[in-house]
Amino acid sequence: MSAFRILIVESEAGEAAELSGLIHSWEYTGAAGYNLPAVIDSVPSAEMALQAYGEFQPNLLIFGPTSAVEVASSQIRQLRQSSGIEPVPILFVQDLSGGEPSAPPTDCDDILTKPYSPSLVQLKLASIRRFCEFSRSLMAQRDRLRRHHADFLQEQANAREIFSNLGNESCLDGSPAIRYHLSPRAVLNGDLLAATYTPDGKLVLMLGDFAGHGLAAAVGAVPLTSIFYSMMPRGFSMGRVLREINRKLYDILPRQMFCCLAMLELDPRRMHLRLLNAGMPSPCLKRASGELRLLESRHLPFGVLATDQIDNAIVNLRVLPGDRLYLWSDGIHEARNGKGEHFGESRLMELLRADCGGTQAFDQILMAVNAHAAEQHDDLSLVELDLTDASLCRSDLPAADQNGERKGGRIGNWSIELRLAHEELRTADPLPHLLSVLAQMPGAARFQEDLAITLGELFRNALEHGVLELDSSIKSTDDGFIRYYDLLAERRSRLDHGWVSIVLSCTESEQGGQLNLVVQDSGSGFQEAREPKGVYAGRGLALLQTVCSEVHLVPGSSRVEAIIRWRTGRSAEAADPCESSANPVQNSSVPV
C-alpha cells in the first residue's frame, strides 16, 4: 500500500513543526501486520494547499490552530471539490489553552484539541486512516463494477446482434396486422418472438419464455429459433417442428430449465387457426362480436419431458371476419404496483372488453401495465394479431413482367412419383421432401409457392376426404369445426389401411413449360356434383383456381390432376391476353 499523505496547513512555523513532530512519532500497523509510513507536507495557507493538491494528493488535511481560525468556508468548499470523488477528511486544531473553548467549527470533519494528547491524536489518525483505506477499497470495487457492467452491456449488444441475425427471415415487421412489444430486458431474460411464412402461405408465429434469466436463457433460445427458421420455411408441419424443438431443448437444457411456448399457425386463405399453448399465459381470441375466449395451456413446457403429446394439445379454430388474437408473457400478469399487487388477468380482460372498436386494446394494455408497475421486474412481451387482415395473405412468387412471364432459369424435363402407405400417412408430411428436391433446380422458384399450395390442398383432400372419409360439411358450425379436426386426429392416429399417390412431371420447351401434379388415393372417389354445405366446405377448389391453370377431376374417381403453366418471353408476347388469363377448372361443382 502507498504511503499515507498528510498535508498540514498552518501559518505559524512553530505550530506546524510541533504538529508535524507529533505525527512523525505515530506508528500505524496495517491489517497485514506491516508498519505503514506517513508522508507529511506543510503549507502556510489554504491557497497554497489548493496548489499542492495536484502534485501531493493528500489523504488527510489538518488545519493548525491559527489557520483553523482564519480559513473561510468558501476555501474549505474549494478544497473539498479539488479532492474529486475520493473524500479527503479535514481536521481542525482547536486551542483550549487560552480559556473557554470557542464554538466547534462546522466546516471540518473532526477536531484535535491543544494541548495535544499523543494517545488521542494517534487514535484519531488511525481511525481516519482505516476510513481512507475502506474508501479506497470501495473506489476499487466501483471501478471493477463499472468494467463488469461495460462487459455486460457488450454481451447484451452481441446477443441482440446474434438474435437479429437469427431472425433475418422474420416477417414480424412485414404486415400492419402484426403488432408486438418486447421489453428491452427480454433479450437476455428469456422472452423470444419469431414469425415466418410456410411455403404454402401460412403464417406461423411463436412466443416463448425461458425459465431463468441471463446468458443461460439467451443461449437456450438459439437452438429454438434456429429450428423454427430452418424448418418452417421448408414446409415441415407445425407438429413436426414442435416435436423437434421439445427434443432439442430436453437434450441441451439443465433439468431446472424449461421453455414455456405458444405457437400458432394461421392459414389466411382457409380462415383456419391452429394453436399450441405449452405453459404460457392463456392467449385471448377476441371475436368481432366482443366475445373473448381464453386458450389455456394443454401441454407441459418444452424441455421437461422427452416424450410429448403435441397432436392432442393443438387447438383448431375457425377464423371469422374481424377476429383478433392477443398473446403475452407472464411479465404482464405479474407486474406489481407499490403495494405488491399483480396486474393480473382480470385487468387484461377488462381492457379487451372495453375496446369496442378492436383497435385500441394493444396500446391501452401497455399503458395500463406501465402505469400499474412500480418497477419492471420481469420480461414484458405483448403481441396483437389481426387474423383477417388482407396483408397476411403474402405471395413470394418471382416478379412477373407485363406479359405475365415469370423469371427463372431452365427447369428441364423430369418426373417424380411418391406413394405413401397407411404407416406413413399417420405422420407423413410430403411437402418438405418434394420442395427440397425441387429447390435444387435453378428455376424452381417460379412455381414453388403455387406447388406448395396445390400439393398441400390435394394431399389434405386425399387424406381427409379420401382415405379417412371425413365430410367437410361437419365444419359448418363452431362445434362442428372443432369436431372435424378432432376426428381427423383420432382417425389418422388409428389408420391401418389406405394409401396416397403423388406424381409430379415437368415438360419445358422454348415456348414455355408445364408442371403436372396428379394426386390419387385409396378412397371411394369424389361424389356426384353437389353444392358445398357451409362456408368452410369446398374452399379448396376455389383456392386451387387462383394458382393453377387447370384442375381436372371426375366424379367417382379419386384422381385429381392440377396443371401449372408458364411461358417464355417470346411466346408470352404472341399469346392472346384473354386466353392467358383463363383458368379453366373441370367439374368445378365438386368440392375439394
Side-chain angles (χ1 to χ4, degrees):
M1 178 178 291
S2 59
F4 189 64
R5 297 178 296 276
I6 300 175
L7 181 61
I8 298 174
V9 183
E10 176 53 51
S11 56
E12 295 290 336
E15 293 286 353
E18 182 182 2
L19 191 56
S20 178
L22 181 63
I23 296 173
H24 269 302
S25 64
W26 168 50
E27 293 183 355
Y28 175 73
T29 304
Y34 298 102
N35 290 330
L36 302 174
V39 177
I40 303 170
D41 194 10
S42 179
V43 293
S45 65
E47 291 81 359
M48 295 188 67
L50 281 170
Q51 297 175 9
Y53 249 87
E55 182 177 353
F56 187 66
Q57 296 181 350
N59 302 115
L60 173 64
L61 200 59
I62 300 178
F63 280 83
T66 305
S67 296
V69 177
E70 297 173 349
V71 67
S73 296
S74 60
Q75 292 175 314
I76 296 296
R77 285 195 297 270
Q78 289 180 337
L79 288 169
R80 291 193 187 278
Q81 292 171 1
S82 299
S83 64
I85 60 173
E86 186 172 351
V88 175
I90 297 178
L91 298 185
F92 278 8
V93 175
Q94 192 173 22
D95 192 353
L96 303 181
S97 58
E100 291 294 327
S102 58
T106 59
D107 295 324
C108 64
D109 299 305
D110 203 348
I111 61 172
L112 295 174
T113 57
K114 186 179 179 182
Y116 299 112
S117 168
S119 60
L120 182 59
V121 170
Q122 292 181 14
L123 180 63
K124 288 195 174 184
L125 291 178
S127 175
I128 291 172
R129 184 156 187 174
R130 283 192 296 271
F131 166 77
C132 291
E133 290 174 355
F134 178 70
S135 175
R136 191 175 302 162
S137 174
L138 287 180
M139 295 299 105
Q141 291 183 24
R142 178 211 61 186
D143 293 340
R144 286 195 296 271
L145 287 175
R146 284 181 173 177
R147 289 193 297 270
H148 290 322
H149 183 63
D151 293 341
F152 175 71
L153 292 178
Q154 184 60 48
E155 284 184 357
Q156 282 194 318
N158 293 338
R160 289 190 180 94
E161 184 175 356
I162 290 172
F163 278 97
S164 176
N165 294 335
L166 285 173
N168 283 337
E169 299 177 66
S170 171
C171 62
L172 288 169
D173 299 317
S175 168
I178 305 174
R179 301 184 67 190
Y180 65 95
H181 171 82
L182 287 176
S183 67
R185 297 181 58 188
V187 173
L188 287 182
N189 285 274
D191 279 13
L192 62 95
L193 178 64
T196 189
Y197 280 94
T198 62
D200 54 348
K202 297 187 185 75
L203 171 69
V204 187
L205 185 144
M206 173 178 67
L207 178 63
D209 184 2
F210 276 85
H213 299 86
L215 188 59
V219 169
V222 172
L224 194 155
T225 51
S226 297
I227 292 171
F228 180 82
Y229 283 121
S230 63
M231 295 185 70
M232 279 300 181
R234 293 170 58 191
F236 285 95
S237 67
M238 177 177 169
R240 174 75 178 276
V241 174
L242 287 168
R243 280 189 287 271
E244 179 64 19
I245 288 174
N246 183 67
R247 184 193 66 80
K248 179 63 72 174
L249 294 183
Y250 180 81
D251 289 342
I252 68 173
L253 290 182
R255 292 285 76 91
Q256 70 273 15
M257 282 192 67
F258 53 85
C259 178
C260 299
L261 187 71
M263 182 183 291
L264 66 89
E265 178 187 80
L266 173 66
D267 189 338
R269 295 183 177 92
R270 299 172 66 91
M271 305 288 282
H272 179 202
L273 175 68
R274 305 176 70 217
L275 184 140
L276 173 89
N277 184 359
M280 289 290 287
S282 301
C284 182
L285 176 64
K286 181 175 182 180
R287 302 288 190 184
S289 62
E291 175 192 354
L292 301 180
R293 177 178 176 181
L294 289 174
L295 304 172
E296 295 84 2
S297 172
R298 300 177 62 180
H299 198 280
L300 286 173
F302 283 7
V304 175
L305 298 177
T307 58
D308 60 74
Q309 300 294 326
I310 299 296
D311 295 330
N312 295 331
I314 293 178
V315 177
N316 291 275
L317 300 163
R318 68 170 178 171
V319 177
L320 302 175
D323 286 354
R324 291 175 182 267
L325 184 69
Y326 295 87
L327 303 94
W328 43 68
S329 66
D330 58 4
I332 290 184
H333 282 188
E334 297 174 0
R336 297 182 183 180
N337 59 15
K339 299 179 181 178
E341 299 171 339
H342 289 152
F343 186 78
E345 187 178 89
S346 60
R347 289 187 174 91
L348 278 172
M349 296 300 101
E350 291 175 5
L351 291 170
L352 290 174
R353 290 190 187 95
D355 181 26
C356 299
T359 59
Q360 305 298 321
F362 182 86
D363 296 323
Q364 289 174 351
I365 290 174
L366 289 180
M367 289 188 294
V369 172
N370 289 327
H372 177 85
E375 60 175 323
Q376 183 183 328
H377 68 285
D378 202 352
D379 319 322
L380 193 154
S381 302
L382 176 66
V383 181
E384 179 193 62
L385 185 61
D386 186 350
L387 297 174
T388 57
D389 192 283
S391 64
L392 294 178
C393 293
R394 193 190 72 167
S395 177
D396 285 337
L397 295 178
D401 61 20
Q402 60 182 359
N403 295 319
E405 177 194 0
R406 290 185 184 173
K407 300 177 181 179
R410 174 174 170 77
I411 303 298
N413 298 285
W414 47 265
S415 64
I416 299 174
E417 182 173 357
L418 179 67
R419 183 184 177 94
L420 301 171
H422 64 274
E423 293 91 347
E424 288 75 30
L425 289 176
R426 293 188 192 124
T427 57
D429 188 8
L431 184 61
H433 305 292
L434 289 175
L435 290 182
S436 64
V437 173
L438 297 179
Q440 309 303 316
M441 302 175 183
R446 71 178 65 190
F447 56 69
Q448 187 171 22
E449 184 174 5
D450 286 352
L451 174 62
I453 294 172
T454 306
L455 178 60
E457 289 297 323
L458 294 183
F459 176 73
R460 280 192 294 267
N461 179 79
L463 176 63
E464 296 174 17
H465 307 312
V467 178
L468 300 178
E469 299 179 346
L470 289 168
D471 189 347
S472 290
S473 61
I474 300 175
K475 295 186 283 186
S476 58
T477 65
D478 282 342
D479 292 341
F481 192 92
I482 298 172
R483 181 169 172 265
Y484 178 90
Y485 286 101
D486 288 342
L487 280 173
L488 172 61
E490 179 186 350
R491 292 187 183 182
R492 193 172 183 180
S493 65
R494 295 189 289 106
L495 189 62
D496 59 1
H497 67 279
W499 52 266
V500 173
S501 171
I502 300 171
V503 179
L504 278 171
S505 61
C506 179
T507 58
E508 189 173 28
S509 65
E510 293 183 356
Q511 287 72 37
Q514 177 173 306
L515 179 68
N516 288 54
L517 172 61
V518 178
V519 177
Q520 191 170 1
D521 61 76
S522 60
S524 58
F526 295 100
Q527 300 177 12
E528 293 296 328
R530 57 182 173 82
E531 291 299 320
K533 297 179 181 179
V535 67
Y536 284 89
R539 298 173 60 89
L541 187 61
L543 179 56
L544 291 177
Q545 287 180 277
T546 65
V547 296
C548 297
S549 304
E550 296 179 23
V551 178
H552 299 276
L553 51 92
V554 178
S557 169
S558 64
R559 184 181 187 275
V560 185
E561 181 179 13
I563 301 174
I564 301 171
R565 293 192 181 97
W566 63 92
R567 301 182 306 276
T568 61
R570 285 180 294 176
S571 62
E573 292 172 4
D576 184 351
C578 296
E579 180 182 353
S580 64
S581 62
N583 193 7
V585 178
Q586 308 299 321
N587 301 320
S588 60
S589 59
V590 179
V592 177

